[in-house]
Amino acid sequence: MTMVALGVPSMPNALSAPDTGPLVDTYGRVATDLRVSLTDRCNLRCTYCMPAEGLDWLPGDALLQPDELIRLLRIAVTRLGIKSVRFTGGEPLVAKGLERIVAATAALQPRPEIALTTNGIGLGRRAAGLKRAGLDRINVSLDTVDPQRFAATTRRNRLADVLEGLAGAAAAGLSPVKVNAVLDPGTGLADAVELLRFCVAHGYQLRFIEQMPLDAEHHWDRDTAQRADGVLAALQAHFQLTPDPAPRGSAPAELWLVDGGPAKVGIIASVSHEFCGACDRTRLTADGQVRSCLFSQREKDLRGLLRGGADDDVIEAAWRAAMWAKPAGHGINDPGFVQPDRPMSAIGG
Ligand code: SAM
Ligand code: SF4
């Protein structure tokens, strides 16, 4: 997608969302990538995501049931032009019916690309089944390969399970397996170097994500969070990094070839180099709320419409209206920035 200069609506004369065609906002950005949170629950407690005691989980009847979700996925793909679907959470591997939902998504026409973001626990024994169900791509989150630091970051001693999950994903043919890392403000740069060595050795593609103000406890600190430029400099002291010549498109990661390739590393500078002008995403929470942005202050309640008996036309129009109101950018660097009420785990990262 081409970058859109934000600030001035590109369709100033259009008062409301178009009722056909692509899922578009007032800035002319088109959403083709849907992020679906399957649950807000998780079996880890990453410090930058949720508190040690967990959160007040959504009650079971608030969550979309698999059949409700599958209906929304059908509307997204067949009416709104969604071309790729990523399942996330919370931890999607603890959600009900993941394999069935993946298989139902794979049966849609035109078939969307299907991806999963997971912490990897339990993936070792489920990767092959997910691949058979239709999963195309996977991202496994891993911030350090040091067992003590892993336990400190996630508050659980589960590094071995995550490594088993990564190996299972590769063995199931979900390659290239991608690894997502959010770096610790203190030890992160040392972790980054070890993590890249590990990923290059195993053929996993590593991408660093700048920490964003989406933690439930509002502890994010702009001054201490690791920034893309610092991570790049730390890596360059140990590896030869050259810009990946492949076109980046709307992908948020800036990619580098490691020591001449074919290994690559990505850096997602979500805070320091905002890329909202190329955003092609729409989001659905586990309780059926459409969000046009991670940082939206507004949501559209599709679950209420579904359960109230709305037909597909009404749901489609509500989704289009939510997208139409997508903000220009996340605004993290604006003086008046307000962190959304929902933390990352309840939106779906
Ligand atoms: N539990 C799964 C996992 O960890 O991969 C999926 C959900 S998690 C919310 C999705 C991604 O968001 C993970 O890669 C995680 O590292 C990232 N994440 C969580 N909190 C974040 C934050 N405050 N800033 C940036 N990324 C964050
Ligand atoms: Fe769980 Fe993922 Fe949040 Fe870590 S980042 S606590 S694994 S939802």
Side-chain angles (χ1 to χ4, degrees):
M1 175 191 270
T2 28
M3 296 283 278
V4 175
L6 294 173
V8 182
S10 61
M11 299 180 193
N13 298 324
L15 295 175
S16 59
D19 50 17
T20 57
L23 188 56
V24 65
D25 70 15
T26 49
Y27 299 95
R29 292 170 296 186
V30 173
T32 54
D33 180 22
L34 169 61
R35 303 274 152 142
V36 179
S37 173
L38 294 178
T39 176
D40 58 336
R41 290 173 194 245
C42 190
N43 40 14
L44 295 184
R45 295 285 182 276
C46 303
T47 50
Y48 49 79
C49 184
M50 60 171 80
E53 64 280 12
L55 294 163
D56 290 333
W57 310 125
L58 290 164
D61 59 357
L63 298 176
L64 288 180
Q65 296 307 298
D67 287 334
E68 293 176 320
L69 174 58
I70 289 166
R71 179 171 168 211
L72 292 181
L73 288 164
R74 179 178 52 73
I75 291 171
V77 169
T78 62
R79 292 173 165 243
L80 298 171
I82 291 300
K83 293 183 169 47
S84 56
V85 178
R86 177 173 292 275
F87 296 107
T88 178
E91 177 43 48
L93 291 179
V94 305
K96 197 162 83 176
L98 174 62
E99 282 78 358
R100 179 155 91 81
I101 292 165
V102 169
T105 309
L108 294 170
Q109 288 300 328
R111 185 198 188 285
E113 186 177 54
I114 306 170
L116 181 73
T117 301
T118 169
N119 65 27
I121 294 174
L123 181 63
R125 60 177 183 282
R126 290 176 67 185
L130 284 163
K131 171 80 180 167
R132 271 196 306 278
L135 187 67
D136 299 306
R137 296 194 288 121
I138 197 153
N139 291 55
V140 177
S141 298
L142 176 64
D143 306 329
T144 174
V145 285
D146 178 280
Q148 266 101 42
R149 292 211 284 274
F150 180 92
T153 297
T154 64
R155 303 190 182 99
R156 297 288 186 274
N157 192 12
R158 307 292 300 266
L159 176 61
D161 300 272
V162 179
L163 300 184
E164 194 184 316
L166 280 164
L174 288 164
S175 301
V177 175
K178 292 188 178 160
V179 170
N180 288 1
V182 174
L183 295 174
D184 181 84
T187 62
L189 297 183
D191 291 333
V193 173
E194 289 310 311
L195 206 45
L196 184 53
R197 284 205 180 101
F198 167 84
C199 288
V200 169
H202 288 81
Y204 307 144
Q205 198 182 109
L206 177 60
R207 46 198 56 221
F208 296 100
I209 307 171
E210 281 184 341
Q211 191 183 332
M212 293 179 277
L214 285 169
D215 57 311
E217 296 170 291
H218 294 218
H219 285 164
W220 180 80
D221 179 355
R222 162 189 313 279
D223 297 330
T224 59
Q226 301 287 358
R227 294 188 153 231
D229 297 349
V231 176
L232 189 59
L235 296 178
Q236 278 169 328
H238 298 267
F239 304 90
Q240 195 202 340
L241 300 185
T242 42
D244 181 11
R248 184 171 166 188
S250 65
E254 187 168 13
L255 289 178
W256 304 81
L257 297 177
V258 181
D259 294 335
K264 292 180 187 181
V265 64
I267 304 190
I268 304 182
S270 4
V271 178
S272 60
H273 298 101
E274 180 181 315
F275 38 73
C276 302
C279 183
D280 60 358
R281 293 185 186 165
T282 177
R283 296 173 180 274
L284 184 63
T285 66
D287 56 345
Q289 311 298 305
V290 162
R291 297 176 68 92
S292 57
C293 171
L294 268 177
F295 291 89
S296 292
Q297 297 293 344
R298 285 195 286 173
E299 300 181 340
K300 198 84 168 187
D301 179 18
L302 298 190
R303 184 194 62 194
L305 293 176
L306 277 174
R307 294 186 184 172
D311 66 15
D312 288 359
D313 289 346
V314 171
I315 293 170
E316 175 186 349
W319 204 324
R320 287 184 182 282
M323 180 66 189
W324 189 244
K326 183 177 173 102
H330 58 49
I332 298 173
N333 301 313
D334 299 347
F337 172 71
V338 179
Q339 184 171 335
D341 290 337
R342 275 192 200 251
M344 183 73 129
S345 59
I347 299 171

